[in-house]
Amino acid sequence: MTVEADGFAEAGLRFEVDGKIATITLDRPEKRNAQTFATWTALARIGADLPEQVRVVVIRGEGPSFSAGIDLRMFSPEGVPGQGSLASQAGLGDEAFDRRIAQAQEGFLWLRRPEIVSVAAVRGHAIGAGFQLALACDLRILADDAKLCMKEPALGLVPDLTGTKPLVDLVGLPRALEICLTARTVGADEAHALGLAELVVPSGELEQTVADLAAALLATDRGAATATKRLLAGAAGRTLAEQCAAERREQTARVRELFARS
Ligand code: ACO
């Protein structure tokens, strides 16, 4: 079922819900799915209104590219009609500017929620904001023509759409530094070797592979999946003793719920 909402089409997004699977399609293929503030606002809105039954969220791009990143019109003095430009944002005070970026980040942050598993299905280019959107997802399945690039530093900016932490967590500081500061393109096979992708498949098999993964994820009990994601996601920030305590807490709740059911 396609969910229609004011602004989704203008934001270049399509949003469909099929039972427990939601699919967000970046849908401006003629502009390689370039993203604007409207895209990020719409993403945040999808996260805020996500139907309760949804357990897997797939993000994909229409056409040959996942996303060519921020709409380059944002760099022009005129900007994007109705949304201003980076130059007009620069005129905001510190607090207002901080809030503007935080609003954009909202579009990316919810994809980490424990109740869902988010999957980026990446074909072709994922540049800048496109790469960061893929990094915001829990899992990345790449077509063999995927090309990842953190272009922001080459344009005088920093990556600020929640991508720096997952990048460092996945590939380590030296490699993250090298990828960002050279703004080079990382191909699918290298991305897989670096841990940036769970799987690389021939382009024609991307959709089916993601559908199979979603089905496999849905076969696991929701409560167990949510608790396990919460546990794993928190592990890096805890000591072993703290993690053991977290395991005990989650397991106590699981066992109680299982036995209350039977
Ligand atoms: N913003 C706005 N329009 C874009 C963008 C973009 N980021 N990327 C592509 N387009 C438009 C092109 O201008 C072109 O429009 P036109 O047909 O009206 O001329 C159309 O999309 C197709 O682009 P091509 O370059 O012809 O497509 P191709 O498949 O050959 O190349 C590629 C794709 C590699 C993505 C190239 O378009 C590109 O390098 N785009 C810019 C990438 C970029 O620098 N993004 C900013 C990253 S930084 C950040 O996101 C914060």
Side-chain angles (χ1 to χ4, degrees), residues 4-261:
E4 304 284 354
D6 280 354
F8 282 4
E10 178 199 62
L13 285 185
R14 233 169 49 232
F15 178 50
E16 286 141 309
V17 177
D18 181 6
K20 297 174 182 173
I21 303 174
T23 303
I24 299 171
T25 301
L26 302 168
D27 193 16
R28 213 152 61 99
E30 72 287 358
K31 296 294 176 192
R32 301 299 181 262
N33 303 322
Q35 302 173 35
T36 64
F37 276 108
T39 314
W40 304 327
T41 303
L43 283 172
R45 191 152 151 221
I46 290 172
D49 296 342
L50 195 70
E52 203 274 330
Q53 83 269 12
V54 170
R55 292 188 52 195
V56 175
V57 176
V58 175
I59 304 197
R60 59 184 294 278
E62 197 61 62
S65 299
F66 180 71
S67 171
I70 194 172
D71 192 316
L72 292 174
R73 287 177 300 171
M74 291 297 288
F75 289 86
S76 71
E78 305 78 34
V80 175
Q83 299 186 49
S85 66
L86 288 176
S88 62
Q89 306 292 318
L92 296 172
D94 286 354
E95 254 179 58
F97 201 8
D98 187 86
R99 211 166 34 245
R100 196 81 178 99
I101 298 175
Q103 279 168 352
Q105 290 171 336
E106 287 301 318
F108 295 66
L109 282 171
W110 65 272
L111 292 160
R112 282 100 165 168
R113 264 189 223 154
E115 301 78 24
I116 57 167
V117 179
S118 50
V119 181
V122 180
R123 88 160 21 96
H125 289 96
I127 303 178
F131 188 10
Q132 293 194 71
L133 185 56
L135 283 167
C137 291
D138 297 311
L139 305 172
R140 281 153 293 283
I141 308 299
L142 268 49
D144 53 10
D145 66 350
K147 297 174 191 66
L148 313 178
C149 170
M150 200 65 93
K151 184 86 174 279
E152 286 83 346
L155 299 174
L157 301 172
V158 300
D160 67 346
L161 294 168
T162 80
T164 55
K165 182 158 175 56
L167 183 64
V168 172
D169 288 348
L170 289 168
V171 305
L173 174 59
R175 181 61 71 191
L177 198 55
E178 181 264 325
I179 287 172
C180 290
L181 299 197
T182 63
R184 74 177 171 87
T185 296
V186 177
D189 288 339
E190 185 189 359
H192 188 224
L194 288 175
L196 285 167
E198 280 45 69
L199 215 53
V200 174
V201 297
S203 190
E205 295 173 19
L206 185 61
E207 259 83 30
Q208 190 55 52
T209 304
V210 171
D212 292 347
L213 173 62
L217 290 165
L218 289 176
T220 302
D221 173 87
R222 182 168 206 173
T226 301
T228 303
K229 180 175 170 184
R230 196 162 43 222
L231 200 51
L232 295 174
R238 298 193 192 105
T239 63
L240 179 59
E242 289 165 346
Q243 185 68 5
C244 287
E247 289 178 358
R248 294 196 297 274
R249 271 196 309 278
E250 294 286 9
Q251 195 69 305
T252 303
R254 294 302 321 138
V255 169
R256 285 197 176 132
E257 196 187 318
L258 279 177
F259 281 88
R261 263 194 238 155

